[in-house]
Amino acid sequence: IPDSRFPTPDLFPTFRSQKENVMKRTRFLLQITLLIALLPLATSLNAQTPSSVEAALKPVLDSLCEAAGYPGATFSVILPDGEAIEIAYGYADLEAKTPMPTDGRMFSGSTGKTYVSAIAMQLIDEGKLDVDNLVSSYFGDEEWYTPLPNSSSMKVKHLLTHTSGLPRYVFKPSFWETFNKNRMRNYPPRELLGFVAGDEPVHAPGEGWGYSDTGYLLIGLIIEKITGNAYYDEVQNRIFKPFNLNSTSPSTTRKFPGLVQGYTGDHVAPYDLPPKVVENGLYIYHPEFEYTGGGVVSNSPDLARWTKLLYEGKVFSQE
């Protein structure tokens, strides 16, 4: 399914034709249709055997992926007793005709934010973080912080809930111009935040809502400030290892065992990438710039297990 790390091309009208925008919207609607079609089947799992659930889900996944034109997809369900159902459609590599494995690993995009917010909740449990703290209390003495929109008034809770008013750095043409000049280097979070320095805020903190990867970069830096450790070490030690998410790992390199081929279109602006994103086992750019806006490689079985753990209250306290 198209990757949430990349901005919706509809927001770059100068780069795409009206026909392409309509196609993008159609694919998006088909994704939603897929989810809506599968969820009623998943909500009645208690009354069915795993084999019957799989038999019901597979043709739905197949038909909707065929209609959407996806090369491949995976889908996982965790039953109340912990038993897993894992299905796949299509190919991991279309040209090589490599079947899509049910445990195929992919970049999981902005679902990476759920690990970030879970660690924030754990730090609240430990008495080390307060959501009402001003973000400036962590970075107010650092030169890069003051020029950020709403730097003196936004709080931790605004970052977590996408109400900070911070613009998204991934929508800045200057970022993509810089990125496309050198896709093999990492872009540290403070450098990424610099792309919105001096911008007008989207709204005052707490007075609107606007999804923002930018705010989650700041949460990652706050986690590092509090713990004294790199965020990726914290997520490994707090989430991936203790909860046995063995197919989930930080995207801090260009090589990931089990990573399936991905497709981006052919040099579609603004990210100007070739159609296939894995060459000779290596990802075609350095993905670490995602940091706490995403920054994770995983698979559907691990994501399903993680969701069950999270919503059953196994990751942090009810309070």
Side-chain angles (χ1 to χ4, degrees), residues 295-316:
V296 171
V297 168
S298 190
N299 61 12
S300 293
D302 263 18
L303 286 173
R305 284 193 292 273
W306 166 241
T307 303
K308 189 171 189 292
L309 287 162
L310 189 60
Y311 286 104
E312 286 182 345
K314 304 292 177 59
V315 183
F316 47 82

Side-chain angles (χ1 to χ4, degrees), residues 5-68:
R5 286 167 299 146
F6 298 123
T8 306
D10 287 353
L11 296 175
F12 294 87
T14 58
F15 296 129
R16 295 179 66 87
S17 69
Q18 184 177 0
K19 180 180 178 182
E20 288 174 318
N21 284 336
V22 170
M23 291 173 64
K24 179 70 180 181
R25 292 190 193 101
T26 302
R27 286 195 294 270
F28 175 75
L29 288 173
L30 284 165
Q31 293 174 40
I32 300 301
T33 303
L34 171 63
L35 293 172
I36 293 172
L38 293 176
L39 283 173
L41 292 169
T43 56
S44 58
L45 297 181
N46 283 327
Q48 303 180 48
T49 64
S51 59
S52 67
V53 174
E54 182 175 345
L57 289 173
K58 186 66 168 71
V60 178
L61 180 67
D62 291 353
S63 63
L64 289 172
C65 286
E66 288 166 5

Side-chain angles (χ1 to χ4, degrees), residues 226-273:
I226 291 172
T227 64
N229 300 316
Y231 166 74
Y232 284 122
D233 291 336
E234 288 294 307
V235 75
Q236 289 271 38
N237 294 328
R238 287 175 175 269
I239 306 293
F240 300 158
K241 291 178 181 177
F243 295 111
N244 298 315
L245 300 178
N246 299 320
S247 294
T248 304
S249 59
S251 54
T252 54
T253 178
R254 293 177 57 213
K255 186 171 185 177
F256 303 92
L259 184 70
V260 305
Q261 182 56 260
Y263 297 83
T264 64
D266 192 356
H267 295 277
V268 176
Y271 30 89
D272 192 30
L273 299 174

